[in-house]
Amino acid sequence: MDPEQVDEFVMGYLKKKGFNNAAKQLQEALHHNNGGTFNSTDYHNDPELTKLIRSFSQSENDPTRYRDGYSKLRSWAYNSLDLYKHELLRVMYPVFIHCYMDLVGKGHTREARAFFNSFRKDHEMIHLRDLQKLEGVLVPSHLEEMEFARSLRQSKVNIKICQYSYDLLLQYLHRTESTLMLGIINEHINFQVYSGQPNSSSDDIDAVTIVGSFQETADHINQKEIQWGLLEDSLEDRLEKTGSLLSDSEKGQGESKDGDVDDSKKRSNEIGKQGSSLKKLKKDKAGNATAKVARQETSIVSPAPRVKPELALPVMSTDVEESILEDLRNRVQLSSVAMPSVSFYTFVNTHNGLNCASISHDGSLVAGGFSDSSIKVWDMAKIGQAGSGALQGESDTNDQNVGPNGRRNYTLLLGHSGPVYSATFSPPGDFVLSSSADTTIRLWSTQLNANLVCYKGHNYPVWDVQFSPFGHYFASCSHDRTARIWSMDRVQPLRIMAGHLSDVDCVQWHPNCNYIATGSSDKTVRLWDVQTGECVRIFIGHRSMVLSLAMSPDGRYMASGDEDGTIMMWDLSTARCITPLMGHNSCVWSLSYSGEGSLLASGSADCTVKLWDVTSSTKLTKAEEKNGNSNRLRSLRTFPTKSTPVHALRFSRRNLLFAAGALSKPAS
Amino acid sequence: MSIVPKETIEVIAQSIGITNLSPEAALMLAPDVEYRVREIMQEAIKCMRHSKRTTLTASDVDGALNLRNLEPIYGFGSGGPIRFRKAIGHRDLFYTDDREVDFKDVIEAPLPKAPLDTEIVCHWLAIEGVQPAIPENAPLEVIRAPAENQIYQQKDGPLIDIRLPVKHVLSKELQLYFQKIAELTLSKSNPSLFKEALVSLASDSGLHPLVPYFTNFIADEVSRGLNDFLLLFNLMHVVRSLLQNPHIHIEPYLHQLMPSVVTCLVSRKLGNRFADNHWDLRDFTANLVALICKRFGNTYITLQSRLTKTLVNALLDPKKALTQHYGAIQGLAALGHNVVRLLVLSNLEPYLSLLEPELDAEKQKNQMKSYEAWRVYGAILRAAGLCIHDRLKIFPTLPSPSPSFPSKGKGKVISTEPNKRKLGVDSSENRSPHKRLIATDGSDGGPSPMQVDRPTGDANPPQNSVRPSSSEQASDGNAPESRNAKEKDDSKGRAITRKAILDQIWKDDLDSGRLLVKLHQLYGDRILPFIPSTEMSLFL
């Protein structure tokens, strides 16, 4: 190498690095020596060093280096051994996005765009949505502004990789001296090297997903203990207990009565309720009638642990309690061979205005929230009568339902000043809560047909609101990235759950009322402790925004549906995905577990209701883990509707499935 | 770099009154504009998802702007489609057509119809896991046992017994549908609409509750409207559509349907005008009958035997009109070759002798009668011909006679197909002259009146020339026409080499051989077009 060239390189390097003094000195020295000989000693003979110097001195800003480096790495990865290929390809995506962001950050907008477009195809399949977000980033300031980009810049990606793949990668990087790629990989990827054979490619979903900075915190959080069991002394519990006690020991009736008394005493102590004698009487009756059913139930369902409620729960009136018990007694046992009946409520003439639908627990009330700020509540029991009357001829039997402006067979609730995004019925069906883009939540009474309370607290549109399984409390979630817990008697929230990195899109209560789950646009689902307001679980695995959530009745599992049509079953205690349920090809708007938790129903924008067998998926998991069986889909039935996207689903307590949706004209 | 070109920025700047925007500023703004647009779209998509939609609307964008505390863009919220117009002279430039509206016009315009109010309808999407075939549900691929009626029960568990004898309740929609179809069938004035009605009948699910009404309707109208040719034709089309509909379970109603259909096949008189082409109707109905037998023959074993019995009785009764005979023959022919062979061919001789006097133009003075007779003759010829054609095709393929022949033979087999079609449809005025033509000169020398005869004409001479030598029968006066010596030698040579094989075949298919002979006796040359030449050559 020409010594003068070397001097030039060194000069350039020093200047670029801002070592101006050093550069000056060097210059002076050079002047003194006049192209002298004293510094031409070493590196003439050291090709390694010269190369290194050359690479440094090449203007570091040169945008083509990213392209070259990346494309070389890419072709190397694609040509690597099949066994290790998928692991190596996994590295490509973080490298790709960081190359792009580096380019943008250095102001090479044009090159960044060209680089992005030439390689985006590689990653579109898995990361389409992220790419769409990143595509808009064109100016360094955008990197700062955009949360997603910022969190990517700040965090490291965890990639599990086997020892050999790791060695291969390092070897390649050293051999080719692609320092740039090496730098990016060192800076942004955190390898979790394990010994042994590489994993099969599809196995590890969370390895592919790039999350923000919380991968480690997520791992940390998921270590926390949660009590996923059902509430002690729940109605199902009591039904079961009275049933089994009676059947077990007809002789020891006194004993069982004692137990009951104890039971109700405890209960009355806890919640301050008197007059248990009435209840006891009723319970005995209940027990006799359903001994058989209850016994079946106990044999099927493995007993879930019982926990104490952390919230003071409202007292149920005896009437309500009785009707619930009655329903539970008459519940149809569902399984993969005994399918439920599905009753479908179709909204017609909605003019594309129906934003949400909700069905009361007994299926008799249906509420629709509309984009014109209105809420309409139909009483299906009344409509049924009026409808049959009208069919025979012109009749005016439905006069009592007619509102002030003519024949109308629903209750119109006006009060919101923005599109209504969600509505929910209290368990007995006497209240409706609605959330709207006007940032408020409103409480309505279905008996008075009037607005009772307006809850202001969120700062942005409230996407979802859900009553707790026992009423009184409710949870809401909003564009302001928080979820909040409220009680009906206070206009201020009781708890604010903050932590999601993007909109919180849906919320659901755990059956024991101690936890709520929230699904977010940051593609995660979180579980929060209601009492402390802390996040206790983070579920990572979805590839797009989470739209719907459902909790299994035994409190052990959770299902979440996303924008792409994927449904994931999670084990709450381990925070792991049991199995992804693929089948829908569009947004899953609604999920519902059957009463005893054996079936999961899902309703989607692809105009189908699907039933999934979830008992087998939970039972077979262990066996599957052993032999790595890939056959995890357990779709039982698909019920196509006539171009009606399914907005809401609910299993009644008797296990009749209700579904609702708005008839929409098919495209074209 | 940015997908927003800087020219766009400049145009926007101009449109809001900034005239001195430097190009650098525009260049800097462009990527930011793109970023903001993307940001707004991302929020708009969120709004769309929460409105439970999959198409983005202008209101979603407004919602997104609201989220960012921006003023919405006015003028696009009406929900109607926005019409973009192409700017003349530019390929990729569009604008919205925003016309000035006069207040007076708006005020004076009649109020638009109030939109229908939102309602909820309830139906069973599934009953114990099975989707009932009702119009509210999407059509199913396969029919499951259709629920007899839909009870619109609101609450509680599934229906315990849906097969209870209950009153047949028809929804208003179905009643209307039925009325409309009935009107269309009776009116005959709107053929295009009727066609669409037929398509709907053939494809709609959920029509099942109407089937008994339709069968009743058809039976009534057929018995009442025997004089109305068009009506009958329409009714038969309705039957056909009902049969085609995969969602309808028509089996239990077949017994009601069959009499009307058979009536349309073998009734003495269909339609009262001379112009009514009742032959077409009979042909159509014959195919219909065949379709029914094919579909339900397996489940109703007696169906076909009863049907053929009726038809044969109609055919063999000399007192019945020729039109009835025609219908019977067509019906039998449509049922397949075996039926024809068993029932028609066995009765062929006596029947033809019966027909003979009618055919003779001199004896039969009644023009109409003779026309009918020729028609029947044509039908029976076609039936027999198709039968023998089919029969002969069963023969094992033999080594082809000579290199020149196979191609010719193949051509023949194919060309006979269109022949049959044509023959069946052609009116006998066309046919009889050419029949005679063949009968009289039989050679290909004479110009054939129809282009269909060309291939058969070509085939005739060699066959004629060798037939006497191969079969024992005396030729019916068709003297072997020596075309040229070479060909004759050729065929003779072939006859000798084939002898051994022929003997074998003869034994195997003596039956068909005899049949052919008999047919030939009866029909003369007219049967020949039905016989593929390769097979024909076997008998040389």
Side-chain angles (χ1 to χ4, degrees), chain A residues 142 145 342 344 346 348 355 410 503 505 563 637 642, chain B residues 32 36 46 49-50 52 117 119 121 123 125-126 129 135:
Chain A
H142 293 163
E145 199 170 326
V342 188
F344 202 96
T346 312
V348 292
N355 284 354
Y410 53 82
D503 302 34
D505 294 301
E563 206 179 347
R637 286 287 155 81
K642 224 172 187 177
Chain B
D32 202 53
R36 300 297 157 197
K46 276 181 196 165
R49 292 295 181 219
H50 285 287
K52 304 257 196 296
D117 203 1
E119 272 181 74
V121 268
H123 71 95
L125 185 65

PDB file of all heavy atoms in Angstrom, chain A residues 142 145 342 344 346 348 355 410 503 505 563 637 642, chain B residues 32 36 46 49-50 52 117 119 121 123 125-126 129 135:
ATOM      1  N   HIS A 142     -38.729  11.293  12.615  1.00  0.00           N
ATOM      2  CA  HIS A 142     -39.792  10.293  12.745  1.00  0.00           C
ATOM      3  C   HIS A 142     -39.383   9.169  13.672  1.00  0.00           C
ATOM      4  O   HIS A 142     -40.199   8.606  14.389  1.00  0.00           O
ATOM      5  CB  HIS A 142     -40.151   9.713  11.385  1.00  0.00           C
ATOM      6  CG  HIS A 142     -40.780  10.710  10.470  1.00  0.00           C
ATOM      7  ND1 HIS A 142     -40.872  10.509   9.124  1.00  0.00           N
ATOM      8  CD2 HIS A 142     -41.347  11.895  10.713  1.00  0.00           C
ATOM      9  CE1 HIS A 142     -41.457  11.551   8.567  1.00  0.00           C
ATOM     10  NE2 HIS A 142     -41.756  12.404   9.513  1.00  0.00           N
ATOM     11  N   GLU A 145     -40.080  10.188  17.006  1.00  0.00           N
ATOM     12  CA  GLU A 145     -41.489  10.427  17.294  1.00  0.00           C
ATOM     13  C   GLU A 145     -42.281   9.128  17.415  1.00  0.00           C
ATOM     14  O   GLU A 145     -43.173   8.991  18.236  1.00  0.00           O
ATOM     15  CB  GLU A 145     -42.064  11.258  16.164  1.00  0.00           C
ATOM     16  CG  GLU A 145     -43.333  11.947  16.512  1.00  0.00           C
ATOM     17  CD  GLU A 145     -43.694  12.920  15.421  1.00  0.00           C
ATOM     18  OE1 GLU A 145     -42.781  13.508  14.821  1.00  0.00           O
ATOM     19  OE2 GLU A 145     -44.886  13.057  15.174  1.00  0.00           O
ATOM     20  N   VAL A 342     -77.543 -22.782  17.743  1.00  0.00           N
ATOM     21  CA  VAL A 342     -77.116 -21.390  17.597  1.00  0.00           C
ATOM     22  C   VAL A 342     -78.298 -20.567  17.136  1.00  0.00           C
ATOM     23  O   VAL A 342     -78.900 -20.850  16.102  1.00  0.00           O
ATOM     24  CB  VAL A 342     -75.975 -21.260  16.577  1.00  0.00           C
ATOM     25  CG1 VAL A 342     -75.431 -19.848  16.612  1.00  0.00           C
ATOM     26  CG2 VAL A 342     -74.882 -22.258  16.853  1.00  0.00           C
ATOM     27  N   PHE A 344     -79.394 -16.970  15.878  1.00  0.00           N
ATOM     28  CA  PHE A 344     -78.690 -15.838  15.289  1.00  0.00           C
ATOM     29  C   PHE A 344     -79.608 -14.629  15.198  1.00  0.00           C
ATOM     30  O   PHE A 344     -80.702 -14.717  14.653  1.00  0.00           O
ATOM     31  CB  PHE A 344     -78.173 -16.199  13.901  1.00  0.00           C
ATOM     32  CG  PHE A 344     -77.042 -15.325  13.454  1.00  0.00           C
ATOM     33  CD1 PHE A 344     -75.744 -15.733  13.622  1.00  0.00           C
ATOM     34  CD2 PHE A 344     -77.284 -14.086  12.889  1.00  0.00           C
ATOM     35  CE1 PHE A 344     -74.691 -14.924  13.243  1.00  0.00           C
ATOM     36  CE2 PHE A 344     -76.229 -13.273  12.508  1.00  0.00           C
ATOM     37  CZ  PHE A 344     -74.939 -13.698  12.675  1.00  0.00           C
ATOM     38  N   THR A 346     -79.971 -11.227  13.471  1.00  0.00           N
ATOM     39  CA  THR A 346     -79.437 -10.451  12.364  1.00  0.00           C
ATOM     40  C   THR A 346     -79.990  -9.037  12.428  1.00  0.00           C
ATOM     41  O   THR A 346     -81.204  -8.843  12.460  1.00  0.00           O
ATOM     42  CB  THR A 346     -79.832 -11.079  11.025  1.00  0.00           C
ATOM     43  OG1 THR A 346     -79.556 -12.468  11.085  1.00  0.00           O
ATOM     44  CG2 THR A 346     -79.053 -10.459   9.897  1.00  0.00           C
ATOM     45  N   VAL A 348     -80.854  -5.867  10.501  1.00  0.00           N
ATOM     46  CA  VAL A 348     -81.038  -5.461   9.113  1.00  0.00           C
ATOM     47  C   VAL A 348     -81.239  -3.948   9.062  1.00  0.00           C
ATOM     48  O   VAL A 348     -81.608  -3.319  10.055  1.00  0.00           O
ATOM     49  CB  VAL A 348     -82.235  -6.184   8.452  1.00  0.00           C
ATOM     50  CG1 VAL A 348     -81.931  -7.646   8.290  1.00  0.00           C
ATOM     51  CG2 VAL A 348     -83.500  -5.997   9.265  1.00  0.00           C
ATOM     52  N   ASN A 355     -71.816  -0.523  15.218  1.00  0.00           N
ATOM     53  CA  ASN A 355     -70.436  -0.653  15.657  1.00  0.00           C
ATOM     54  C   ASN A 355     -70.239  -1.826  16.591  1.00  0.00           C
ATOM     55  O   ASN A 355     -69.155  -2.392  16.657  1.00  0.00           O
ATOM     56  CB  ASN A 355     -70.005   0.612  16.400  1.00  0.00           C
ATOM     57  CG  ASN A 355     -69.733   1.736  15.450  1.00  0.00           C
ATOM     58  OD1 ASN A 355     -69.750   1.545  14.241  1.00  0.00           O
ATOM     59  ND2 ASN A 355     -69.494   2.904  15.988  1.00  0.00           N
ATOM     60  N   TYR A 410     -87.932  -1.123  19.502  1.00  0.00           N
ATOM     61  CA  TYR A 410     -86.737  -1.170  20.333  1.00  0.00           C
ATOM     62  C   TYR A 410     -86.718   0.065  21.221  1.00  0.00           C
ATOM     63  O   TYR A 410     -87.479   1.002  20.999  1.00  0.00           O
ATOM     64  CB  TYR A 410     -85.471  -1.217  19.485  1.00  0.00           C
ATOM     65  CG  TYR A 410     -85.366  -0.119  18.460  1.00  0.00           C
ATOM     66  CD1 TYR A 410     -84.904   1.148  18.806  1.00  0.00           C
ATOM     67  CD2 TYR A 410     -85.718  -0.351  17.130  1.00  0.00           C
ATOM     68  CE1 TYR A 410     -84.812   2.153  17.882  1.00  0.00           C
ATOM     69  CE2 TYR A 410     -85.626   0.648  16.190  1.00  0.00           C
ATOM     70  CZ  TYR A 410     -85.163   1.907  16.570  1.00  0.00           C
ATOM     71  OH  TYR A 410     -85.080   2.898  15.644  1.00  0.00           O
ATOM     72  N   ASP A 503     -52.877   1.278  21.897  1.00  0.00           N
ATOM     73  CA  ASP A 503     -54.268   1.250  22.324  1.00  0.00           C
ATOM     74  C   ASP A 503     -54.619  -0.056  23.022  1.00  0.00           C
ATOM     75  O   ASP A 503     -54.169  -1.117  22.612  1.00  0.00           O
ATOM     76  CB  ASP A 503     -55.212   1.323  21.120  1.00  0.00           C
ATOM     77  CG  ASP A 503     -54.992   2.540  20.296  1.00  0.00           C
ATOM     78  OD1 ASP A 503     -53.836   2.966  20.192  1.00  0.00           O
ATOM     79  OD2 ASP A 503     -55.968   3.050  19.754  1.00  0.00           O
ATOM     80  N   ASP A 505     -57.470  -2.477  23.247  1.00  0.00           N
ATOM     81  CA  ASP A 505     -58.620  -2.638  22.373  1.00  0.00           C
ATOM     82  C   ASP A 505     -59.744  -3.460  22.975  1.00  0.00           C
ATOM     83  O   ASP A 505     -60.893  -3.332  22.581  1.00  0.00           O
ATOM     84  CB  ASP A 505     -58.175  -3.304  21.071  1.00  0.00           C
ATOM     85  CG  ASP A 505     -57.247  -2.410  20.300  1.00  0.00           C
ATOM     86  OD1 ASP A 505     -57.663  -1.300  19.972  1.00  0.00           O
ATOM     87  OD2 ASP A 505     -56.097  -2.804  20.042  1.00  0.00           O
ATOM     88  N   GLU A 563     -56.655  -9.718  14.598  1.00  0.00           N
ATOM     89  CA  GLU A 563     -57.085  -9.119  13.352  1.00  0.00           C
ATOM     90  C   GLU A 563     -56.912 -10.063  12.165  1.00  0.00           C
ATOM     91  O   GLU A 563     -57.623  -9.946  11.173  1.00  0.00           O
ATOM     92  CB  GLU A 563     -56.217  -7.873  13.158  1.00  0.00           C
ATOM     93  CG  GLU A 563     -56.812  -6.783  12.344  1.00  0.00           C
ATOM     94  CD  GLU A 563     -55.827  -5.619  12.261  1.00  0.00           C
ATOM     95  OE1 GLU A 563     -54.842  -5.596  13.024  1.00  0.00           O
ATOM     96  OE2 GLU A 563     -56.049  -4.755  11.432  1.00  0.00           O
ATOM     97  N   ARG A 637     -66.933 -27.329  13.922  1.00  0.00           N
ATOM     98  CA  ARG A 637     -67.958 -26.964  12.960  1.00  0.00           C
ATOM     99  C   ARG A 637     -67.699 -25.554  12.485  1.00  0.00           C
ATOM    100  O   ARG A 637     -67.169 -24.724  13.216  1.00  0.00           O
ATOM    101  CB  ARG A 637     -69.349 -26.985  13.597  1.00  0.00           C
ATOM    102  CG  ARG A 637     -69.901 -28.349  13.841  1.00  0.00           C
ATOM    103  CD  ARG A 637     -70.335 -29.025  12.554  1.00  0.00           C
ATOM    104  NE  ARG A 637     -70.311 -30.461  12.699  1.00  0.00           N
ATOM    105  CZ  ARG A 637     -71.273 -31.165  13.279  1.00  0.00           C
ATOM    106  NH1 ARG A 637     -72.318 -30.563  13.729  1.00  0.00           N
ATOM    107  NH2 ARG A 637     -71.172 -32.460  13.389  1.00  0.00           N
ATOM    108  N   LYS A 642     -75.278 -15.802   6.116  1.00  0.00           N
ATOM    109  CA  LYS A 642     -75.505 -15.216   4.802  1.00  0.00           C
ATOM    110  C   LYS A 642     -74.971 -13.788   4.826  1.00  0.00           C
ATOM    111  O   LYS A 642     -75.643 -12.881   5.270  1.00  0.00           O
ATOM    112  CB  LYS A 642     -77.002 -15.229   4.490  1.00  0.00           C
ATOM    113  CG  LYS A 642     -77.299 -15.669   3.076  1.00  0.00           C
ATOM    114  CD  LYS A 642     -78.783 -15.841   2.904  1.00  0.00           C
ATOM    115  CE  LYS A 642     -79.115 -16.443   1.554  1.00  0.00           C
ATOM    116  NZ  LYS A 642     -80.535 -16.665   1.415  1.00  0.00           N
TER     117      LYS A 642
ATOM    118  N   ASP B  32     -42.375  14.161   5.232  1.00  0.00           N
ATOM    119  CA  ASP B  32     -43.153  14.325   6.448  1.00  0.00           C
ATOM    120  C   ASP B  32     -44.644  14.174   6.160  1.00  0.00           C
ATOM    121  O   ASP B  32     -45.380  13.583   6.957  1.00  0.00           O
ATOM    122  CB  ASP B  32     -42.873  15.694   7.063  1.00  0.00           C
ATOM    123  CG  ASP B  32     -43.212  15.695   8.536  1.00  0.00           C
ATOM    124  OD1 ASP B  32     -42.715  14.805   9.246  1.00  0.00           O
ATOM    125  OD2 ASP B  32     -44.010  16.548   8.958  1.00  0.00           O
ATOM    126  N   ARG B  36     -47.175  11.612   7.964  1.00  0.00           N
ATOM    127  CA  ARG B  36     -48.424  11.997   8.641  1.00  0.00           C
ATOM    128  C   ARG B  36     -49.622  11.265   8.049  1.00  0.00           C
ATOM    129  O   ARG B  36     -50.517  10.833   8.782  1.00  0.00           O
ATOM    130  CB  ARG B  36     -48.647  13.506   8.525  1.00  0.00           C
ATOM    131  CG  ARG B  36     -47.571  14.367   9.131  1.00  0.00           C
ATOM    132  CD  ARG B  36     -47.450  14.154  10.627  1.00  0.00           C
ATOM    133  NE  ARG B  36     -46.115  14.552  11.061  1.00  0.00           N
ATOM    134  CZ  ARG B  36     -45.567  14.219  12.208  1.00  0.00           C
ATOM    135  NH1 ARG B  36     -46.237  13.467  13.057  1.00  0.00           N
ATOM    136  NH2 ARG B  36     -44.351  14.608  12.514  1.00  0.00           N
ATOM    137  N   LYS B  46     -57.646   1.684  13.044  1.00  0.00           N
ATOM    138  CA  LYS B  46     -58.110   1.316  14.380  1.00  0.00           C
ATOM    139  C   LYS B  46     -59.598   1.638  14.545  1.00  0.00           C
ATOM    140  O   LYS B  46     -60.369   0.836  15.073  1.00  0.00           O
ATOM    141  CB  LYS B  46     -57.306   2.082  15.434  1.00  0.00           C
ATOM    142  CG  LYS B  46     -56.001   1.427  15.769  1.00  0.00           C
ATOM    143  CD  LYS B  46     -55.277   2.233  16.836  1.00  0.00           C
ATOM    144  CE  LYS B  46     -53.819   1.830  16.905  1.00  0.00           C
ATOM    145  NZ  LYS B  46     -53.021   2.801  17.659  1.00  0.00           N
ATOM    146  N   ARG B  49     -61.637  -0.905  12.758  1.00  0.00           N
ATOM    147  CA  ARG B  49     -61.731  -2.180  13.466  1.00  0.00           C
ATOM    148  C   ARG B  49     -62.730  -2.081  14.612  1.00  0.00           C
ATOM    149  O   ARG B  49     -63.479  -3.019  14.867  1.00  0.00           O
ATOM    150  CB  ARG B  49     -60.373  -2.583  14.022  1.00  0.00           C
ATOM    151  CG  ARG B  49     -59.354  -2.943  12.986  1.00  0.00           C
ATOM    152  CD  ARG B  49     -59.755  -4.185  12.226  1.00  0.00           C
ATOM    153  NE  ARG B  49     -58.757  -4.548  11.251  1.00  0.00           N
ATOM    154  CZ  ARG B  49     -59.036  -5.004  10.053  1.00  0.00           C
ATOM    155  NH1 ARG B  49     -60.289  -5.151   9.671  1.00  0.00           N
ATOM    156  NH2 ARG B  49     -58.086  -5.328   9.213  1.00  0.00           N
ATOM    157  N   HIS B  50     -62.721  -0.959  15.289  1.00  0.00           N
ATOM    158  CA  HIS B  50     -63.630  -0.860  16.428  1.00  0.00           C
ATOM    159  C   HIS B  50     -65.058  -0.615  15.988  1.00  0.00           C
ATOM    160  O   HIS B  50     -65.987  -0.802  16.768  1.00  0.00           O
ATOM    161  CB  HIS B  50     -63.147   0.220  17.389  1.00  0.00           C
ATOM    162  CG  HIS B  50     -61.968  -0.237  18.184  1.00  0.00           C
ATOM    163  ND1 HIS B  50     -62.067  -1.148  19.196  1.00  0.00           N
ATOM    164  CD2 HIS B  50     -60.655   0.045  18.077  1.00  0.00           C
ATOM    165  CE1 HIS B  50     -60.873  -1.395  19.695  1.00  0.00           C
ATOM    166  NE2 HIS B  50     -59.988  -0.690  19.028  1.00  0.00           N
ATOM    167  N   LYS B  52     -66.157  -2.471  13.824  1.00  0.00           N
ATOM    168  CA  LYS B  52     -66.403  -3.829  13.337  1.00  0.00           C
ATOM    169  C   LYS B  52     -66.640  -3.847  11.830  1.00  0.00           C
ATOM    170  O   LYS B  52     -67.600  -4.431  11.346  1.00  0.00           O
ATOM    171  CB  LYS B  52     -67.615  -4.452  14.043  1.00  0.00           C
ATOM    172  CG  LYS B  52     -67.498  -4.467  15.553  1.00  0.00           C
ATOM    173  CD  LYS B  52     -67.145  -5.835  16.072  1.00  0.00           C
ATOM    174  CE  LYS B  52     -67.385  -5.996  17.547  1.00  0.00           C
ATOM    175  NZ  LYS B  52     -66.563  -5.150  18.392  1.00  0.00           N
ATOM    176  N   ASP B 117     -85.950   1.477   9.017  1.00  0.00           N
ATOM    177  CA  ASP B 117     -85.420   1.473  10.366  1.00  0.00           C
ATOM    178  C   ASP B 117     -84.731   0.141  10.661  1.00  0.00           C
ATOM    179  O   ASP B 117     -85.078  -0.894  10.101  1.00  0.00           O
ATOM    180  CB  ASP B 117     -86.561   1.716  11.363  1.00  0.00           C
ATOM    181  CG  ASP B 117     -86.010   2.266  12.665  1.00  0.00           C
ATOM    182  OD1 ASP B 117     -84.782   2.463  12.735  1.00  0.00           O
ATOM    183  OD2 ASP B 117     -86.795   2.501  13.581  1.00  0.00           O
ATOM    184  N   GLU B 119     -83.777  -3.190  12.306  1.00  0.00           N
ATOM    185  CA  GLU B 119     -84.576  -4.226  12.960  1.00  0.00           C
ATOM    186  C   GLU B 119     -83.704  -5.436  13.238  1.00  0.00           C
ATOM    187  O   GLU B 119     -82.612  -5.565  12.676  1.00  0.00           O
ATOM    188  CB  GLU B 119     -85.735  -4.647  12.051  1.00  0.00           C
ATOM    189  CG  GLU B 119     -86.977  -3.811  12.234  1.00  0.00           C
ATOM    190  CD  GLU B 119     -88.061  -4.325  11.314  1.00  0.00           C
ATOM    191  OE1 GLU B 119     -88.607  -5.379  11.624  1.00  0.00           O
ATOM    192  OE2 GLU B 119     -88.329  -3.669  10.297  1.00  0.00           O
ATOM    193  N   VAL B 121     -83.834  -9.590  13.094  1.00  0.00           N
ATOM    194  CA  VAL B 121     -84.545 -10.824  12.798  1.00  0.00           C
ATOM    195  C   VAL B 121     -83.766 -11.974  13.424  1.00  0.00           C
ATOM    196  O   VAL B 121     -82.551 -11.931  13.490  1.00  0.00           O
ATOM    197  CB  VAL B 121     -84.705 -11.077  11.293  1.00  0.00           C
ATOM    198  CG1 VAL B 121     -85.986 -10.504  10.793  1.00  0.00           C
ATOM    199  CG2 VAL B 121     -83.544 -10.537  10.519  1.00  0.00           C
ATOM    200  N   HIS B 123     -83.110 -16.127  13.709  1.00  0.00           N
ATOM    201  CA  HIS B 123     -83.305 -17.438  13.082  1.00  0.00           C
ATOM    202  C   HIS B 123     -82.313 -18.419  13.680  1.00  0.00           C
ATOM    203  O   HIS B 123     -81.384 -18.026  14.391  1.00  0.00           O
ATOM    204  CB  HIS B 123     -83.129 -17.346  11.570  1.00  0.00           C
ATOM    205  CG  HIS B 123     -81.709 -17.112  11.144  1.00  0.00           C
ATOM    206  ND1 HIS B 123     -80.874 -18.125  10.796  1.00  0.00           N
ATOM    207  CD2 HIS B 123     -80.989 -15.983  11.023  1.00  0.00           C
ATOM    208  CE1 HIS B 123     -79.694 -17.631  10.477  1.00  0.00           C
ATOM    209  NE2 HIS B 123     -79.726 -16.327  10.609  1.00  0.00           N
ATOM    210  N   LEU B 125     -79.263 -20.510  13.378  1.00  0.00           N
ATOM    211  CA  LEU B 125     -78.088 -20.739  12.549  1.00  0.00           C
ATOM    212  C   LEU B 125     -77.732 -22.223  12.570  1.00  0.00           C
ATOM    213  O   LEU B 125     -77.233 -22.768  11.588  1.00  0.00           O
ATOM    214  CB  LEU B 125     -76.911 -19.906  13.068  1.00  0.00           C
ATOM    215  CG  LEU B 125     -75.631 -19.948  12.250  1.00  0.00           C
ATOM    216  CD1 LEU B 125     -75.857 -19.321  10.890  1.00  0.00           C
ATOM    217  CD2 LEU B 125     -74.507 -19.243  12.956  1.00  0.00           C
ATOM    218  N   ALA B 126     -78.008 -22.854  13.682  1.00  0.00           N
ATOM    219  CA  ALA B 126     -77.745 -24.283  13.778  1.00  0.00           C
ATOM    220  C   ALA B 126     -78.622 -24.857  14.868  1.00  0.00           C
ATOM    221  O   ALA B 126     -78.951 -24.170  15.840  1.00  0.00           O
ATOM    222  CB  ALA B 126     -76.280 -24.542  14.115  1.00  0.00           C
ATOM    223  N   GLY B 129     -75.958 -28.330  16.319  1.00  0.00           N
ATOM    224  CA  GLY B 129     -74.783 -28.472  15.476  1.00  0.00           C
ATOM    225  C   GLY B 129     -75.064 -28.683  14.010  1.00  0.00           C
ATOM    226  O   GLY B 129     -74.141 -28.833  13.227  1.00  0.00           O
ATOM    227  N   PRO B 135     -83.967 -20.225   4.284  1.00  0.00           N
ATOM    228  CA  PRO B 135     -83.426 -19.151   3.447  1.00  0.00           C
ATOM    229  C   PRO B 135     -82.498 -18.207   4.192  1.00  0.00           C
ATOM    230  O   PRO B 135     -81.672 -17.567   3.586  1.00  0.00           O
ATOM    231  CB  PRO B 135     -84.679 -18.394   2.983  1.00  0.00           C
ATOM    232  CG  PRO B 135     -85.844 -19.183   3.399  1.00  0.00           C
ATOM    233  CD  PRO B 135     -85.426 -20.255   4.305  1.00  0.00           C
TER     234      PRO B 135
END
